[in-house]
Amino acid sequence: SAWVNFMKAGEFNPPHIHTNCDFSSVLFVKIPEKLREEHKKFVGSSAGPGAISFLYGDARTDSISHKDFLPEEGDFFMFPANLTHYVSPFISAGDRISVSANFRLK
């Protein structure tokens, strides 16, 4: 299955996994310039506005349990469907457009 995400200011995608498939993917088609500027000005300890984050296992001081990315246009991520991931909200004007797809191995 595949779908297009049109994210606007204030929208986000909470932590989730994908079911009934083996792999998930996302291709970032459009990142608003104002979102890039918003992310550069961000001060905090989270992934920041508009970032995609991947989580694995419990948070520990001796291992990496998450990885965050501020995607650029053309970035493509493919990952196990049961890997928890989420997208942080942003406040900048403009649509962030991505195409997502799930795959099942036969």
Side-chain angles (χ1 to χ4, degrees), residues 72-93:
E72 294 290 332
E73 290 176 7
D75 283 355
F76 177 76
F77 296 89
M78 187 170 214
F79 49 94
N82 64 352
L83 180 64
T84 301
H85 57 287
Y86 67 93
V87 177
S88 299
F90 58 94
I91 60 173
S92 301

Side-chain angles (χ1 to χ4, degrees), residues 3-6 26-32 36 71-76 95-100:
W3 61 98
V4 178
N5 301 296
F6 295 90
V26 60
L27 170 66
F28 291 91
V29 178
K30 181 181 176 192
I31 307 293
R36 289 187 197 105
E72 294 290 332
E73 290 176 7
D75 283 355
F76 177 76
D95 289 345
R96 189 183 92 163
I97 302 171
S98 61
V99 177
S100 295

Side-chain angles (χ1 to χ4, degrees), residues 27-64:
L27 170 66
F28 291 91
V29 178
K30 181 181 176 192
I31 307 293
E33 183 59 37
K34 292 184 184 243
L35 174 54
R36 289 187 197 105
E37 294 169 13
E38 178 184 345
H39 195 272
K40 286 178 188 173
K41 294 176 185 175
F42 176 72
V43 177
S45 59
S46 71
I52 184 168
S53 299
F54 298 95
L55 309 170
Y56 180 77
D58 297 325
R60 300 176 51 122
T61 57
D62 59 349
S63 64
I64 297 170

